[in-house]
Each structure stands twice: as structure tokens, then as C-alpha cells.
Amino acid sequence: MSISVVLLAGGESRRMRKDKATLLFRGRPLWQIQLELLRELEPAEIFISARTDPTWRPADVEFVADDLPSRGPLSGLAASLAQMRTKHLLALAIDMPFMTQKYLKFLCGQIEPGRGVLPKIDNRAEPLAAIYPREVDVVLRSALSGVDFSLQTLTSRLVEAGKLRTVSVPDEARKLFLNLNDPADLQPI
């Protein structure tokens, strides 16, 4: 199935105190690791969503500006859904370097027409490594004009509406969802 992918790189990195995208992880910048992973899926199109066009963005990757005012990842998801030409959008956060091609392909195999896939660990959604159907564009845009910008709240509503199907993350795959938020997270990994 043909999909679009977006690398969500618009965070402020307050706890990390520097741009996460350029952090070195195992000798390589996070942006390079994540883009390589997304390219392996052979998507129809690749987006990078951020507040401003990153200097490190490869020329063959389309920049999508977060909808203003920025409401965190919700802004990037909404802007990417509005730009894509396919029926599904796989979103991946810049700070999840343990994610694998195998797991992302598994998620891709779970999508259905008009319905995406939302991994869950226990009762918590993992919306920054999930697949969204084109049909949720209106719902995300509506959420941007509201007061609750929580992806937990939004994805819960999308599951109830049948637009997202949850998949439980098995114990052995939980490590894939670890993210790097502060300098201590980079210590002996």
C-alpha cells in the first residue's frame, strides 16, 4: 500500500537544551537515522515537519511548516495530512532512534481503507509512531482551533470513531518507543 511519511522534528527540545535532530546517537545525527529508516519503507513521499525549514533537510524531502500557532506534534500532523497525496500518513518522532523498519512495516500491514493504526503500551497511546488515514485531517484541524492539544485525547476520540485501530505493543517491542528527552537519556545506551 502506498503511504506518505512524516518525520516530526518541530519540538522545542527544552529539556535536551539543544536541537534533538542534530544530536549524535551512535555516531550519527538523529535526523539522518530517522530519515534512513523512513526511506527504507519506500514511501510515496517524505515530509519533515518543523517550525522552520531545517538546514539539514535533504533536497529530496519536502518541508512542511507546522500550522501556526504551533500546538506541538498536532500542528505537524495536521499540516502533513493537508499536504499528502496518499491515503495514509506514517508519523515518526525525531527522538525515537530505537524504532525499526520491521516494526514500521508491521504497522503498515495493519492499515485499512479509511483507518489507521495506533500502537498502545498498556493504556497509553504512542501517537508519534503511528499511521493516520487521510480522513482524520478535518478532525485534527478542528482540534487545532480548540483548547485541548493532547494527542492522547485526540487519538482516543479517533479510536472511538473507528478511524484508528489500536495494536498492543508486546513487551519485547516496548524499547522501540523509548525517546531521548534530556542529556541523561544519551548516557550509556
Side-chain angles (χ1 to χ4, degrees):
M1 192 175 290
S2 178
I3 63 165
S4 300
V5 297
V6 61
L7 180 58
L8 298 169
E12 293 180 21
S13 302
R14 281 176 278 201
R15 289 180 281 171
M16 191 61 81
R17 297 185 293 277
K18 66 181 282 187
D19 183 9
K20 288 183 189 180
T22 59
L23 283 177
L24 294 183
F25 181 78
R26 299 178 179 162
R28 296 174 53 221
L30 285 178
W31 71 264
Q32 190 177 55
I33 293 167
Q34 298 302 73
L35 269 182
E36 200 171 280
L37 178 64
L38 292 173
R39 284 183 197 280
E40 288 173 359
L41 299 173
E42 299 179 0
E45 53 196 352
I46 302 175
F47 302 115
I48 289 178
S49 172
R51 293 168 189 256
T52 59
D53 193 353
T55 56
W56 47 261
R57 178 180 59 85
D60 65 331
V61 175
E62 189 175 339
F63 168 65
V64 177
D66 285 358
D67 283 345
L68 295 174
S70 182
R71 304 295 188 209
L74 176 59
S75 295
L77 286 171
S80 299
L81 281 163
Q83 292 287 337
M84 72 178 201
R85 296 184 305 269
T86 64
K87 295 185 184 298
H88 287 88
L89 176 72
L90 185 150
L92 181 64
I94 192 90
D95 63 356
M96 284 186 177
F98 301 101
M99 186 53 66
T100 65
Q101 177 192 20
K102 181 180 177 182
Y103 192 82
L104 293 178
K105 281 188 172 188
F106 161 75
L107 290 180
C108 290
Q110 305 301 307
I111 58 179
E112 304 166 35
R115 196 168 172 186
V117 185
L118 178 68
K120 283 189 98 171
I121 295 177
D122 299 324
N123 289 322
R124 184 155 178 82
E126 293 294 339
L128 302 183
I131 302 177
Y132 299 86
R134 172 191 299 272
E135 291 81 357
V136 302
D137 179 45
V138 173
V139 177
L140 269 66
R141 295 210 168 273
S142 175
L144 282 174
S145 63
V147 293
D148 183 357
F149 309 115
S150 163
L151 286 179
Q152 293 296 318
T153 303
L154 178 66
T155 55
S156 178
R157 287 191 3 233
L158 292 173
V159 168
E160 288 173 18
K163 296 298 179 188
L164 291 177
R165 182 170 73 84
T166 62
V167 293
S168 293
V169 176
D171 289 343
E172 65 274 9
R174 289 179 180 216
K175 66 182 181 285
L176 304 178
F177 294 87
L178 293 175
N179 57 10
L180 307 177
N181 285 317
D182 61 53
D185 293 339
L186 291 169
Q187 299 312 314
I189 297 178

